[in-house]
């Protein structure tokens, strides 16, 4: 067939539009063919990969007259290895019970990624899935066991996600 992944995706989105079906784009894994991907973003390099991927998707599919049926973008599927909220102040190295590094925070990562995507395609609803770890007190975190990627309990306890509006 000789089509790139993006060409195949475009054909699929066209087919959905012909049947008047709305579509939500989703970045399911960081690396094609690697599943599960560990539920994180892979630090700075992984976040750069996510930014590049969303930039390419927005550049190709944001046109509302051509791709009217794309309504949303799920920034990262099931970030279950991520945390929501600031780590305890003594979290200088990962590995100790309840501690994690700042680049393991999905609240700040999703905010930065969402702002990036919003600047590229402001018409898409930005979807942020929940994390697998939530702060239960100032010194420890609790691993969520029931469908952790569907939970955002830390959002209530810390701060809401903020997507910055680009300067016009």
């Amino acid at each position: 067939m000789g089509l790139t992944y993006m060409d195949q995706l475009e054909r699929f989105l066209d087919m959905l539009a012909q049947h008047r079906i709305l579509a939500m784009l989703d970045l399911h894994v960081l690396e094609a063919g690697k599943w599960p991907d560990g539920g994180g973003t892979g630090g700075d390099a992984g976040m750069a990969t996510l930014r590049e991927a969303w930039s390419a998707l927005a550049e190709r599919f944001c046109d509302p007259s051509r791709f009217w049926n794309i309504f949303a973008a799920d920034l990262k599927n099931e970030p279950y290895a991520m945390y929501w909220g600031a780590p305890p102040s003594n979290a200088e190295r990962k590995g100790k019970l309840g501690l994690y590094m700042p680049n393991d925070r999905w609240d700040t990562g999703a905010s930065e990624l969402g702002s990036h995507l919003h600047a590229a395609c402001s018409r898409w609803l930005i979807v942020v899935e929940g994390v697998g770890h939530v702060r239960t007190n100032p010194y420890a975190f609790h691993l969520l066991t029931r469908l952790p990627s569907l939970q955002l309990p830390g959002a209530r306890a810390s701060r809401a996600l903020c997507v910055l509006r680009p300067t016009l």
Side-chain angles (χ1 to χ4, degrees):
M1 206 161 147
L3 297 175
T4 66
Y5 175 79
M6 295 289 268
D7 292 338
Q8 292 176 44
L9 181 58
E10 183 173 326
R11 281 193 175 185
F12 184 71
L13 291 165
D14 285 340
M15 184 175 55
L16 291 174
Q18 289 170 8
H19 293 281
R20 308 207 44 82
I21 298 173
L22 297 178
M24 176 172 70
L25 300 177
D26 165 70
L27 287 182
H28 213 75
V29 294
L30 287 172
E31 184 180 329
K34 183 179 179 185
W35 189 88
D37 71 354
T41 59
D44 293 339
M47 285 299 288
T49 298
L50 288 170
R51 275 191 299 278
E52 290 171 19
W54 281 117
S55 292
L57 289 164
E59 183 178 330
R60 181 132 178 198
F61 299 119
C62 190
D63 179 5
S65 60
R66 175 80 170 82
F67 297 102
W68 62 267
N69 60 324
I70 301 174
F71 75 97
D74 183 352
L75 296 178
K76 169 72 176 81
N77 182 67
E78 298 180 354
Y80 58 85
M82 303 294 288
Y83 295 79
W84 196 278
S89 60
N90 60 346
E92 295 188 14
R93 64 182 190 278
K94 196 171 180 176
K96 288 187 174 182
L97 183 62
L99 304 183
Y100 62 98
M101 297 303 291
N103 66 2
D104 289 332
R105 288 182 61 178
W106 186 227
D107 59 322
T108 55
S111 182
E112 292 167 11
L113 190 57
S115 295
H116 173 80
L117 179 56
H118 187 265
C121 187
S122 62
R123 72 178 194 88
W124 291 345
L125 173 69
I126 297 173
V127 176
V128 177
E129 292 190 35
V131 297
H133 300 87
V134 63
R135 193 175 199 165
T136 55
N137 67 55
Y139 307 104
F141 284 79
H142 173 69
L143 175 63
L144 300 169
T145 55
R146 298 175 304 148
L147 299 171
S149 64
L150 302 178
Q151 313 234 356
L152 283 170
R156 182 179 295 161
S158 76
R159 68 177 182 85
L161 183 70
C162 178
V163 173
L164 303 175
R165 182 179 176 92
T167 305
L168 301 176

